[in-house]
Amino acid sequence: VVASLAISLSVFSANAGEILFGTDLDAKFNVVNQSSTINQKYFSWLAKFDAAVGVPQVMVTLYSNDNGQQTIVGRDTLDVNPAWNCVGSKNATLEVGSYTISITKLDGTDLASGDITIAEPPKEEAEKAANEPEKKPEKVGTTLADLFNKFAPK
């Protein structure tokens, strides 16, 4: 399950980043149709950090939120570039439900957290998705400097 997110819940420090959710990520790393509720098969997420992540791997933990209880659904490491200020995934999938995704350094330092609800898609969207070929999750990340240089006026 975590692998499909390309993604430990603890008390987050005041300077922890956030995880944004939407239907896609554009070339400038903006979340398209940003929402904490998704009602389609695939979605994208982007974790924004206050500074460069500074480590080559992070821990991504997925919690299911049911009846006021959080249960770990999956946990995995994610390879990242230590210079990245954000990391995310396109084409993520989850079953219908309410979830918390958290990202920490391997030493437990909090980096970002976000809540998402996956709702039943409209009938026409579900039928369309059933006929689409499977998409593989795609890890993305960048530094603020690279993003600025990519889109700076020439």
Side-chain angles (χ1 to χ4, degrees):
V1 171
V2 173
S4 72
L5 292 172
I7 306 239
S8 83
L9 187 65
S10 47
V11 178
F12 277 80
S13 62
N15 62 358
E18 62 182 329
I19 301 177
L20 305 174
F21 303 94
T23 57
D24 202 359
L25 298 175
D26 68 17
K28 293 183 179 182
F29 286 80
N30 293 311
V31 177
V32 177
N33 299 319
Q34 183 178 328
S35 178
S36 60
T37 300
I38 304 294
N39 64 352
Q40 61 184 42
K41 182 174 182 176
Y42 296 104
F43 66 95
S44 296
W45 61 267
L46 184 70
K48 295 182 174 185
F49 309 124
D50 296 331
V53 71
V55 294
Q57 284 189 324
V58 295
M59 180 67 66
V60 181
T61 305
L62 176 67
Y63 297 85
S64 174
N65 301 321
D66 293 317
N67 302 321
Q69 300 275 337
Q70 283 194 322
T71 305
I72 294 176
V73 176
R75 177 178 279 163
D76 205 353
T77 57
L78 179 65
D79 294 332
V80 296
N81 181 322
W84 284 354
N85 298 82
C86 65
V87 65
S89 178
K90 298 174 81 166
N91 304 323
T93 60
L94 285 171
E95 298 294 321
V96 171
S98 175
Y99 301 91
T100 297
I101 299 171
S102 72
I103 301 176
T104 62
K105 292 183 180 181
L106 297 184
D107 69 3
T109 302
D110 301 318
L111 294 172
S113 178
D115 295 320
I116 184 171
T117 299
I118 305 298
E120 287 285 345
K123 184 178 179 182
E124 58 276 1
E125 176 68 30
E127 290 171 356
K128 178 183 164 190
N131 295 321
E132 288 182 349
E134 284 295 314
K135 297 179 183 176
K136 292 189 183 263
E138 176 186 341
K139 178 177 63 176
V140 297
T142 191
T143 67
L144 293 178
D146 286 348
L147 194 57
F148 176 80
N149 291 333
K150 182 177 180 181
F151 295 100
K154 304 266 185 221

